[in-house]
């Protein structure tokens, strides 16, 4: 879901160009952020070392969720691509979450799903073979008919899987040539033999 307004949060859209900063480590937390489209890197700036990329977030993700309960951001958020972000006033959202049990459960459910997704992604990235990693990921996205609606660019999918985009394109072509998958339309993949 690219928009959490169904929870009743008022939001303001922000457009970012590549390399624009959404917030900086140490800045006072005022807003929560949901990526509508694009990609945002969360980067920690340690005192005695090189910057560390903590996470690369894509469409539908809320970023810096821990900021609900912090006075300052513990990392910086920098657009990795042109991006559209929905910004939610943190204090207003927190009041709503704390005063409405159903919204509180819904937010906990969304955060729990994000944790499961991140753990699953971590597991996938440990698969050494690029082709096996791609097939395992696609198997997690497939519906009962074997069809996958791809809701991100293939470049973003490659990034998410920890692959070079050229590797993803090449392996998808191989899988298509071998008959293991079809790409009948833009944004669609059909697995012929789901794992």
């Amino acid at each position: 879901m690219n928009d959490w307004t169904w929870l009743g949060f008022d939001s303001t859209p922000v457009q970012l160009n590549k390399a624009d900063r959404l917030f900086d480590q140490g800045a006072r937390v005022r807003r929560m952020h949901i990526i509508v489209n694009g990609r945002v890197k969360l980067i920690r700036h340690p005192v005695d070392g090189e910057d560390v990329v903590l996470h690369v977030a894509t469409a539908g993700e809320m970023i810096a969720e821990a900021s609900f309960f912090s006075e300052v951001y513990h990392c910086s958020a920098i657009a990795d691509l042109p991006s559209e972000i929905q910004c939610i006033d943190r204090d207003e959202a927190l009041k709503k979450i704390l005063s409405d049990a159903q919204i509180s459960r819904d937010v906990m459910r969304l955060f729990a799903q994000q944790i499961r997704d991140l753990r699953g992604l971590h597991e996938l990235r440990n698969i050494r073979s690029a082709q096996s990693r791609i097939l395992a990921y696609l198997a997690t996205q497939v519906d009962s008919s074997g069809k996958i609606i791809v809701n991100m660019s293939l470049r973003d999918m490659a990034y998410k899987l920890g692959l070079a985009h050229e590797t993803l394109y090449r392996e998808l072509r191989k899988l298509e040539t071998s008959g293991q998958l079809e790409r009948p339309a833009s944004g669609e993949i059909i697995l012929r033999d789901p794992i």
Side-chain angles (χ1 to χ4, degrees):
M1 170 162 296
N2 293 350
D3 172 350
W4 289 28
T5 56
W6 64 275
L7 286 172
F9 298 149
D10 293 327
S11 62
T12 305
V14 171
Q15 300 294 325
L16 299 176
N17 295 312
K18 182 175 178 162
D20 283 353
R21 299 176 92 77
L22 184 59
F23 55 80
D24 287 306
Q25 181 175 325
R28 189 171 176 337
V29 175
R30 297 186 191 285
R31 289 176 288 285
M32 305 308 298
H33 306 90
I34 296 126
I35 300 172
V36 177
N37 59 59
R39 190 169 66 210
V40 175
K41 285 185 179 180
L42 299 179
I43 299 174
R44 173 104 16 100
H45 311 289
V47 174
D48 60 347
E50 293 195 23
D51 290 350
V52 177
V53 176
L54 300 176
H55 180 61
V56 179
T58 57
E61 290 186 64
M62 177 179 273
I63 55 174
E65 306 90 314
S67 300
F68 263 123
F69 303 101
S70 175
E71 290 305 309
V72 297
Y73 293 110
H74 295 108
C75 61
S76 296
I78 301 169
D80 197 38
L81 293 172
S83 302
E84 180 182 352
I85 313 295
Q86 289 290 333
C87 299
I88 298 167
D89 181 274
R90 191 270 308 258
D91 294 337
E92 289 301 315
L94 198 51
K95 277 186 214 172
K96 199 166 244 189
I97 289 168
L98 295 174
S99 68
D100 186 313
Q102 185 60 50
I103 289 177
S104 183
R105 281 190 294 274
D106 290 343
V107 169
M108 284 190 290
R109 185 172 43 254
L110 289 167
F111 287 162
Q113 182 61 50
Q114 280 190 244
I115 291 168
R116 282 191 300 274
D117 291 348
L118 286 170
R119 287 179 179 160
L121 192 55
H122 180 71
E123 183 180 342
L124 285 172
R125 283 182 164 213
N126 287 323
I127 298 172
R128 295 181 77 87
S129 157
Q131 193 171 102
S132 296
R133 188 182 309 178
I134 293 163
L135 284 170
Y137 173 71
L138 292 175
T140 68
Q141 305 299 305
V142 71
D143 67 17
S144 59
S145 69
K147 189 176 183 179
I148 300 153
I149 303 299
V150 180
N151 62 0
M152 67 182 82
S153 72
L154 291 179
R155 187 177 286 263
D156 285 351
M157 183 188 295
Y159 204 88
K160 187 172 199 160
L161 293 174
L163 299 170
H165 63 276
E166 298 90 352
T167 302
L168 177 66
Y169 301 157
R170 183 178 58 248
E171 295 303 325
L172 285 174
R173 273 195 301 278
K174 286 181 187 176
L175 290 166
E176 204 168 4
T177 301
S178 72
Q180 290 179 271
L181 64 78
E182 288 180 39
R183 293 191 287 169
S186 178
E188 278 186 17
I189 296 175
I190 298 173
L191 279 182
R192 286 292 163 215
D193 188 19
I195 296 173

